[in-house]
Amino acid sequence: MKITKENGSLRIPDKVTIPFIEGDGIGVEITPICQNVVDQAVNKAYKGKRSIEWKETLGGEKAFKERGDYLPEETVEIFREYLVGIKGPLTTPVGEGFRSLNVALRQTLDLYVCLRPVRWFPGVASPLKEPQKVNMTIFRENTEDIYAGIEWQQGTPEARKVLRFLKEEMGVTQIRFEETSSFGVKPVSKEGTERLVRAAIEYTLKNRLPSLTLVHKGNIMKFTEGSFKRWGYELAEREYSDALADGRLVIQDVIADAFLQNTLLFPERYSVIATLNLNGDYISDQLAAMVGGIGIAPGANINYQSGHAIFEATHGTAPDIAGKNKANPSSLILSSVMMLEYLGWKEAANLITGAMEKAFANGKATHDLARFMHGGQSLGSKQFGETLIQLIN
Ligand code: NAI
């Protein structure tokens, strides 16, 4: 049955249909493992009262083979209709005119939050001395900023036109090498900032987290990143003054470069992070590396207003290890944990997280992690999935 949105909140049926894209490369291996783990946890937690019906939708190479289209319209429509879905990694087709499939889904459904929780699991090797202090959730703005793709290549008539406009109509004088410059535009809006920061505040309050940090480069880019910071604070004061007054909501801000340094030196200072698109891209990868890398970092793209959410492995299709039973399914499994939490199925989510904690604490992991663990035991992807299922039951 379908999830619906009623009176502003999601209605989740006990037998819920979740569309999924299997994914290319290692997606074919990790998706069934992930579904098996989730089914076992849901069954264990709710004893048959709740269950997931997985509905396959085509995307990527499989879609191209069967439909001649990497992202059939029907797939987008299914994600639109069913509200919540999950996807494995997809190959970005090479060649003119192909958009990244991930970007296409994000734009079509206006999934304005890229959500990335980052925590450390005891046993997993980390470059930090005290990785147990890392526990952050990144809200990265997903639709604006220099990533909007508004740019003109050097030497084109369009770039020359932009240059003329900037000089003649806008009085710009500080372009260092006029003739050899490409140009890009960085749109940052009040609405875009407010919906992102609002989602981050709601998350902070709901999960009773110690602070929300606005990360920006407003010292340099005053009207874009600087406004992001100002609009963020203003929104909090306008809509959450009670929570600010009674200490449930603590908001701080920090310049992005200092933030990256501080996350290595004092990770305990940060909990929920709200930031713009480009900063968020760098920050997500650095924080993931601090707790074990891309094989274990989960993610989701969400529109909290419409309820649309697509949970996903954050890594790519890993063609170098595809078909070898070596891929780490943890990123996709932890994305499913996020999905279960989004559905409000916390008991099932906790069973999976608990099983993963035990597996890693005992040195059981796929090769990418086990090779760096003390007494690590490298398991194949399937064996790792089976280990989790044993620990769940
Ligand atoms: P990648 O993430 O696929 O691989 C980078 C390295 O990490 C490789 O050495 C790979 O073996 C390893 N790795 C990745 N996931 C792993 C896992 N679960 N377990 C163990 N090791 C893992 O990035 P790459 O090679 O740059 O991209 C390959 C393809 O994936 C490209 O077509 C790219 O466009 C696409 N891609 C798709 C993404 C998505 O669908 N969200 C994200 C990133 C890349």
Side-chain angles (χ1 to χ4, degrees):
M1 286 174 68
K2 283 180 205 162
I3 297 171
T4 49
K5 183 128 199 208
E6 285 164 25
N7 304 324
S9 44
L10 293 179
R11 209 189 65 77
I12 316 289
D14 282 338
K15 314 271 176 217
V16 66
T17 306
I18 301 285
F20 73 97
I21 297 177
E22 182 182 59
D24 300 324
I26 58 170
V28 179
E29 297 165 75
I30 60 178
T31 294
I33 294 171
C34 170
Q35 291 175 339
N36 208 354
V37 168
V38 172
D39 287 342
Q40 297 281 341
V42 169
N43 195 35
K44 173 88 180 173
Y46 309 115
K47 309 201 163 37
K49 189 177 163 285
R50 285 177 170 167
S51 60
I52 293 180
E53 183 203 29
W54 301 100
K55 178 182 174 66
E56 179 159 19
T57 56
L58 293 177
E61 285 165 359
K62 200 169 179 179
F64 190 74
K65 270 192 209 122
E66 292 187 22
R67 301 281 159 86
D69 188 350
Y70 283 99
L71 187 61
E73 195 48 43
E74 180 195 332
T75 298
V76 180
E77 280 315 306
I78 287 173
F79 278 112
R80 195 194 300 283
E81 197 182 327
Y82 285 81
L83 290 177
V84 175
I86 187 160
K87 58 171 279 295
L90 296 173
T91 309
T92 304
V94 186
E96 284 287 313
F98 283 121
R99 287 185 298 174
S100 150
L101 305 180
N102 300 309
V103 174
L105 274 171
R106 268 173 225 165
Q107 284 178 347
T108 315
L109 299 177
D110 194 22
L111 305 173
Y112 60 85
V113 172
C114 176
L115 183 65
R116 294 277 178 90
V118 184
R119 62 155 289 193
W120 177 70
F121 284 89
V124 174
S126 160
L128 298 193
K129 277 201 195 116
E130 297 180 296
Q132 70 278 7
K133 291 184 172 172
V134 180
N135 194 356
M136 298 181 218
T137 305
I138 306 159
F139 281 73
R140 166 185 168 190
E141 207 289 325
N142 229 356
T143 62
E144 298 196 298
D145 200 354
I146 198 79
Y147 276 30
I150 310 167
E151 50 179 13
W152 296 278
Q153 176 65 50
Q154 178 272 331
T156 60
E158 290 79 12
R160 276 192 288 277
K161 200 168 175 183
V162 171
L163 177 65
R164 252 197 331 274
F165 169 73
L166 290 174
K167 283 174 62 182
E168 291 167 16
E169 296 191 39
M170 304 303 288
V172 170
T173 54
Q174 60 272 57
I175 300 171
R176 180 70 183 80
F177 298 108
E178 291 182 352
E179 292 310 315
T180 58
S181 292
S182 291
F183 297 97
V185 174
K186 179 180 172 83
V188 175
S189 70
K190 191 169 183 214
E191 282 106 311
T193 299
E194 287 189 348
R195 64 182 185 171
L196 186 271
V197 174
R198 190 179 290 113
I201 292 177
E202 292 288 339
Y203 184 92
T204 308
L205 292 175
K206 188 170 163 218
N207 295 290
R208 298 168 191 272
L209 293 168
S211 66
L212 166 64
T213 306
L214 306 170
V215 180
H216 61 90
K217 281 290 291 178
N219 53 332
I220 307 293
M221 292 170 272
K222 297 188 193 303
F223 299 143
T224 50
E225 304 243 349
S227 297
F228 173 82
K229 171 181 106 171
R230 184 164 59 82
W231 290 327
Y233 276 121
E234 284 172 1
L235 173 89
E237 277 153 25
R238 199 171 66 240
E239 294 185 10
Y240 299 93
S241 54
D242 290 355
L244 283 172
D246 63 23
R248 277 178 298 132
L249 179 61
V250 174
I251 297 207
Q252 55 185 0
D253 74 277
V254 61
I255 307 279
D257 39 343
F259 174 75
L260 285 171
Q261 177 172 279
N262 288 348
T263 53
L264 295 172
L265 300 173
F266 320 104
E268 69 279 9
R269 286 187 187 170
Y270 304 110
S271 174
V272 181
I273 312 301
T275 194
L276 286 166
N277 212 335
L278 175 63
N279 296 331
D281 199 355
Y282 300 147
I283 289 168
S284 304
D285 276 22
Q286 170 169 315
L287 296 192
M290 283 160 46
V291 295
I294 52 178
I296 198 178
N301 296 298
I302 304 180
N303 181 323
Y304 285 92
Q305 290 160 353
S306 67
H308 284 112
I310 299 186
F311 296 82
E312 65 174 357
T314 57
H315 54 75
T317 59
D320 51 336
I321 55 166
K324 295 184 180 158
N325 191 34
K326 275 188 174 174
N328 187 348
S330 301
S331 169
L332 195 59
I333 293 174
L334 287 171
S335 302
S336 313
V337 168
M338 290 170 72
M339 183 179 82
L340 291 168
E341 285 167 352
Y342 188 75
L343 301 181
W345 294 13
K346 195 125 191 68
E347 299 79 7
N350 290 346
L351 280 175
I352 301 175
T353 314
M356 215 174 256
E357 280 167 356
K358 280 190 205 127
F360 292 147
N362 292 321
K364 292 188 174 161
T366 45
H367 184 65
D368 54 313
L369 297 183
R371 64 187 157 163
F372 299 122
M373 288 171 150
H374 276 299
Q377 187 190 344
S378 288
L379 302 179
S381 319
K382 285 185 193 153
Q383 291 68 38
F384 180 67
E386 281 156 17
T387 303
L388 291 182
I389 288 170
Q390 273 165 17
L391 290 166
I392 286 169
N393 284 308

